[in-house]
């Protein structure tokens, strides 16, 4: 009989040298030799979780080989090496039975080609799942008990704290700096100023890096400073929730040592809250509220055309000609409708979208390659410092500029990836957007001046007027979320 060996060894077992792929292969070969079978293939799932193995590419290859009769039997060390849930183990059993192939487990002395073997296999499958679920329940119970005792259950202690015997304690070396952060922020009210002052004093983060405004703000917001350690606030990262942060209603807190008075924490966070509110408010300059095309309309010589006080015309003071603002608005609206119903222009728009997507992807790829180089350079600098080739006193001078550039590059990559995602979404829903845009511009008269200005900003690159003709250079149609209309024709969701 031609048989194959199926091997699955956990990453932890390999790391601790308690088990190895080679051991299982050798054991399977010896068993096959004792039975007079020919080992024709090995399926290696090293490092794969036993929770689910049935969709792994090696497993799928095994199924193909069994179907084509290249393999008539599969040898495993034990059932737990095949899978750790009953449903999958039963699926394996059904498959082998349907194709007249045997599943042979060395530990359990099991062969599914016999009726007794099939019964025993089903029983062991159920027991394997039961054992796994019981282990999981015990782990959860243990975590809950440790939390109820105030013990640390995972992760790292934030700056200013340390973990001693699974308990969170104040770090006497870091605590003064953490308290100083609150004092400096309340005084200067800028995270960037706090970071600069800490760096000027020669202080560094726990990882030996310069302080940044992001790190400062994160520590200021962390409730553990006032004696409330947050947990159960992170979950699975998904497409809809890329950060993995759970709803605030699910967060839980445990008491911990106090670093700063609650009044100090509240004062600092009240400042942060007020600053964040201000940044979210979109403040339009006065001229944008009044005039739709200011800064976009230019004459053929490139001079900006504007409306003078008590006038209804956009004029170029150098070329001394102009156009009435209502006439320009009417022509602009006609041009938008023409764009939306023209197959030729829609086709050109799609082509430019694809080109922009490719350019954005290339830019991200280049930025990531530069990031790899910077990370390698930082590692070399650290290595040279450890070896004494760069003195510690002068190390910061070499390290800081590279690290700052790396942080800027990482932020840029995130921004580029977000732009790419938005472009891809716009491309996939372009026709829906175009259809809704027609309705939207039909309701132009129902929009107030500020909303119309928003539309101009979103879709216009430039408008050129030569005293005879008007050239509109459009960049894109407004996003779908912006174009939603309420039943009475009023616009909803104007947040950009």
């Amino acid at each position: 009989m031609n048989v194959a060996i199926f091997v699955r060894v956990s990453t932890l077992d390999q790391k601790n040298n308690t088990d190895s792929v080679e051991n299982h292969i050798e054991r399977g070969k010896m068993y096959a030799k004792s039975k007079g079978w020919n080992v024709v293939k090995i399926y290696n799932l090293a490092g794969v979780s036993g929770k689910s193995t049935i969709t792994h590419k090696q497993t799928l290859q095994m199924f193909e080989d069994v179907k084509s009769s290249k393999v008539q039997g599969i040898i495993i060390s034990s059932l737990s090496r095949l899978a750790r849930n009953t449903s999958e183990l039963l699926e394996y059993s059904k498959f082998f039975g349907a194709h007249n192939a045997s599943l042979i487990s060395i530990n359990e002395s099991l062969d599914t080609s016999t009726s007794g073997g099939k019964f025993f296999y089903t029983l062991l499958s159920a027991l394997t799942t039961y054992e796994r679920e019981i282990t999981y329940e015990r782990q959860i119970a243990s975590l809950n008990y440790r939390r109820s005792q105030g013990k640390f259950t995972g992760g790292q202690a934030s700056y200013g704290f340390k973990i001693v015997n699974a308990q969170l304690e104040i770090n006497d070396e870091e605590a003064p700096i953490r308290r100083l952060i609150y004092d400096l922020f309340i005084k200067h009210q800028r995270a960037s100023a706090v970071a600069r002052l800490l760096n000027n004093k020669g202080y560094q983060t726990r990882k030996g890096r310069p302080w940044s405004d992001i790190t400062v703000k994160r520590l200021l917001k962390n409730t553990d400073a006032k004696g409330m350690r947050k947990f159960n606030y992170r979950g699975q990262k998904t497409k809809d929730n890329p950060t993995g942060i759970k709803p605030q209603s699910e967060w839980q807190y445990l008491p911990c040592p106090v670093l700063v008075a609650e009044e100090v924490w509240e004062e600092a966070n009240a400042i942060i809250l007020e600053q964040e509110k201000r940044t979210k408010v979109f403040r339009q300059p006065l001229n944008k509220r009044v005039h739709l095309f200011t800064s976009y309309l230019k004459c053929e010589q490139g001079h900006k055309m504007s409306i003078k006080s008590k006038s209804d015309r956009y004029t170029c003071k150098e070329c001394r000609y102009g156009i009435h603002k209502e006439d320009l608005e009417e022509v602009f609206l006609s041009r938008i409708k023409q764009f939306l119903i023209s197959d030729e222009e829609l086709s050109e728009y799609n082509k430019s979208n694809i080109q922009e997507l490719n350019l954005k992807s290339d830019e991200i790829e280049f930025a990531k390659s530069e990031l790899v180089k910077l990370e390698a350079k930082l590692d070399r600098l650290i290595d040279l410092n450890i070896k004494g080739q760069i003195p510690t006193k002068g190390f910061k001078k070499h390290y800081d500029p590279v690290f700052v550039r790396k942080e800027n590059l990482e932020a840029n990559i995130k921004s580029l990836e977000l732009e790419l995602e938005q472009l891809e979404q716009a491309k996939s829903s372009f026709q829906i957007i175009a259809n809704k845009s027609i309705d939207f511009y039909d309701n132009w008269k129902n929009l107030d001046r500020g909303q119309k200005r928003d539309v101009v900003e979103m879709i216009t690159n430039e408008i050129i007027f030569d005293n005879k003709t008007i050239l509109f250079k459009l960049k894109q149609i407004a996003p779908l979320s912006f174009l939603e209309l309420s039943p009475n024709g009023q616009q909803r969701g104007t947040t950009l």
Side-chain angles (χ1 to χ4, degrees):
M1 183 168 69
N2 289 333
V3 297
I5 299 171
F6 185 98
V7 182
R8 187 189 66 78
V9 179
S10 70
T11 306
L12 186 62
D13 285 341
Q14 293 179 81
K15 185 178 179 180
N16 296 335
N17 294 319
T18 57
D19 209 348
S20 71
V21 172
E22 292 75 17
N23 288 346
H24 286 275
I25 293 174
E26 189 60 33
R27 191 179 180 201
K29 285 181 177 179
M30 290 176 66
Y31 188 86
K33 186 177 179 180
S34 70
K35 297 288 185 179
W37 299 333
N38 302 316
V39 176
V40 295
K41 202 154 188 179
I42 294 169
Y43 306 106
N44 188 348
L45 282 76
V48 177
S49 169
K51 184 178 180 181
S52 180
T53 60
I54 205 161
T55 58
H56 192 275
K57 60 182 181 180
Q58 286 282 298
T59 306
L60 297 177
Q61 182 59 57
M62 177 182 72
F63 288 159
E64 288 299 318
D65 293 340
V66 170
K67 284 179 183 178
S68 61
S69 299
K70 290 180 182 178
V71 173
Q72 289 89 44
I74 302 295
I75 299 175
I76 54 175
S77 293
S78 67
L79 284 180
S80 62
R81 297 297 171 182
L82 186 63
R84 288 187 178 273
N85 72 74
T86 303
S87 60
E88 281 199 4
L89 287 167
L90 290 176
E91 283 297 316
Y92 279 116
S93 179
K94 288 177 185 177
F95 175 81
F96 288 122
H99 294 87
N100 297 316
S102 299
L103 180 61
I104 303 107
S105 173
I106 299 173
N107 280 6
E108 289 86 6
S109 300
L110 175 69
D111 186 342
T112 59
S113 62
T114 67
S115 58
K118 288 178 181 176
F119 171 77
F120 190 48
Y121 176 90
T122 305
L123 183 61
L124 286 176
S125 300
L127 289 173
T128 300
T129 300
Y130 173 75
E131 181 187 10
R132 182 173 176 272
E133 291 176 351
I134 286 294
T135 301
Y136 175 75
E137 289 175 3
R138 286 172 180 165
Q139 288 173 343
I140 296 299
S142 175
L143 284 173
N144 290 335
Y145 175 75
R146 289 167 68 84
R147 286 190 185 117
S148 69
Q149 299 297 307
K151 293 184 177 181
F152 209 74
T153 55
Q156 289 186 338
S158 67
Y159 192 87
F161 292 95
K162 61 183 178 181
I163 303 168
V164 179
N165 296 326
Q167 296 283 352
L168 201 65
E169 294 185 3
I170 291 176
N171 186 321
D172 293 332
E173 293 181 4
E174 297 175 350
I177 311 301
R178 180 81 180 269
R179 295 187 184 105
L180 178 62
I181 288 172
Y182 283 91
D183 295 338
L184 291 173
F185 183 75
I186 290 170
K187 180 179 179 182
H188 298 280
Q189 300 194 4
R190 288 189 180 277
S192 56
V194 175
R196 186 179 68 254
L197 290 168
L198 291 173
N199 292 328
N200 290 343
K201 291 176 181 290
Y203 299 140
Q204 292 182 323
T205 66
R206 185 178 289 168
K207 294 182 178 179
R209 295 173 179 172
W211 288 92
S212 68
D213 56 340
I214 296 172
T215 306
V216 168
K217 191 173 283 189
R218 176 171 52 80
L219 288 174
L220 286 167
K221 287 183 172 183
N222 198 328
T223 57
D224 61 3
K226 62 174 181 177
M228 292 174 58
R229 178 163 59 85
K230 181 171 62 180
F231 69 95
N232 195 46
Y233 61 95
R234 284 190 184 276
Q236 286 265 338
K237 292 183 180 180
T238 63
K239 188 176 181 180
D240 296 331
N241 183 15
T243 63
I245 302 297
K246 294 182 179 181
Q248 201 162 347
S249 58
E250 296 182 25
W251 298 0
Q252 298 180 42
Y253 295 88
L254 283 173
C256 67
V258 176
L259 268 176
V260 298
E262 187 172 353
E263 295 78 13
V264 173
W265 190 93
E266 295 291 350
E267 184 179 356
N269 278 270
I271 296 169
I272 293 172
L273 185 62
E274 183 60 32
Q275 290 175 346
E276 289 177 345
K277 281 182 181 177
R278 288 204 300 266
T279 59
K280 289 177 182 177
V281 175
F282 179 66
R283 301 177 183 275
Q284 280 188 321
L286 182 62
N287 67 330
K288 288 189 178 183
R289 294 196 191 101
V290 178
H291 309 305
L292 297 184
F293 304 103
T294 300
S295 77
Y296 289 95
L297 180 62
K298 298 177 183 178
C299 72
E300 60 182 343
Q301 301 299 322
H303 307 132
K304 289 185 178 180
M305 301 179 66
S306 58
I307 298 180
K308 294 182 179 179
S309 177
K310 298 181 181 180
S311 172
D312 292 323
R313 290 171 59 84
Y314 289 92
T315 58
C316 175
K317 61 181 180 181
E318 284 83 8
C319 302
R320 298 185 180 280
Y321 58 73
I323 182 173
H324 197 279
K325 63 179 184 179
E326 290 183 1
D327 292 340
L328 180 59
E329 182 176 342
E330 184 177 347
V331 176
F332 173 78
L333 189 57
S334 299
R335 179 68 186 89
I336 296 305
K337 288 182 179 178
Q338 179 188 347
F339 173 84
L340 292 170
I341 62 176
S342 167
D343 290 337
E344 182 180 347
E345 292 206 29
L346 288 174
S347 176
E348 284 299 314
Y349 179 84
N350 273 322
K351 287 179 183 177
S352 66
N353 249 4
I354 293 169
Q355 184 180 14
E356 193 170 357
L357 280 167
N358 291 336
L359 289 172
K360 196 69 67 179
S361 298
D362 291 342
E363 189 176 355
I364 291 171
E365 187 176 345
F366 172 79
K368 285 184 175 179
S369 67
E370 287 297 300
L371 183 61
V372 170
K373 292 176 185 176
L374 287 175
E375 288 172 341
K377 189 172 182 178
L378 288 172
D379 289 340
R380 286 197 300 273
L381 286 170
I382 293 170
D383 187 51
L384 289 171
N385 175 251
I386 293 171
K387 291 178 179 177
Q389 296 180 32
I390 296 180
T392 302
K393 189 175 181 181
F395 177 71
K396 197 172 183 291
K397 180 180 70 176
H398 297 282
Y399 186 91
D400 283 4
V402 183
F403 181 77
V404 170
R405 190 183 165 208
K406 173 180 169 288
E407 280 196 320
N408 292 340
L409 199 56
E410 286 173 337
N412 185 43
I413 289 171
K414 287 182 180 178
S415 176
L416 288 171
E417 287 176 336
L418 180 61
E419 289 173 18
L420 180 63
E421 183 180 351
Q422 290 171 342
L423 284 170
E424 288 172 339
Q425 289 173 351
K427 181 176 178 295
S428 64
S429 58
F430 180 81
Q431 197 56 54
I432 301 172
I433 292 172
N435 293 337
K436 282 189 175 284
S437 296
I438 295 172
D439 296 334
F440 177 78
Y441 293 117
D442 284 341
N443 284 278
W444 177 267
K445 62 181 180 295
N446 296 322
L447 304 181
D448 63 34
R449 185 65 61 179
Q451 291 172 328
K452 290 180 179 180
R453 173 68 190 194
D454 288 339
V455 175
V456 172
E457 289 179 339
M458 283 194 298
I459 68 175
T460 309
N461 272 329
E462 202 174 41
I463 304 171
I464 308 296
F465 179 59
D466 63 0
N467 204 28
K468 293 180 181 178
T469 58
I470 303 173
L471 173 64
F472 292 94
K473 295 183 178 180
L474 305 178
K475 56 184 176 183
Q476 67 178 42
I477 295 176
L480 181 59
S481 62
F482 186 84
L483 303 176
E484 289 288 317
L485 302 175
S486 62
N488 62 6
Q490 294 297 317
Q491 185 187 33
R492 292 193 301 233
T494 58
T495 303
L496 301 182

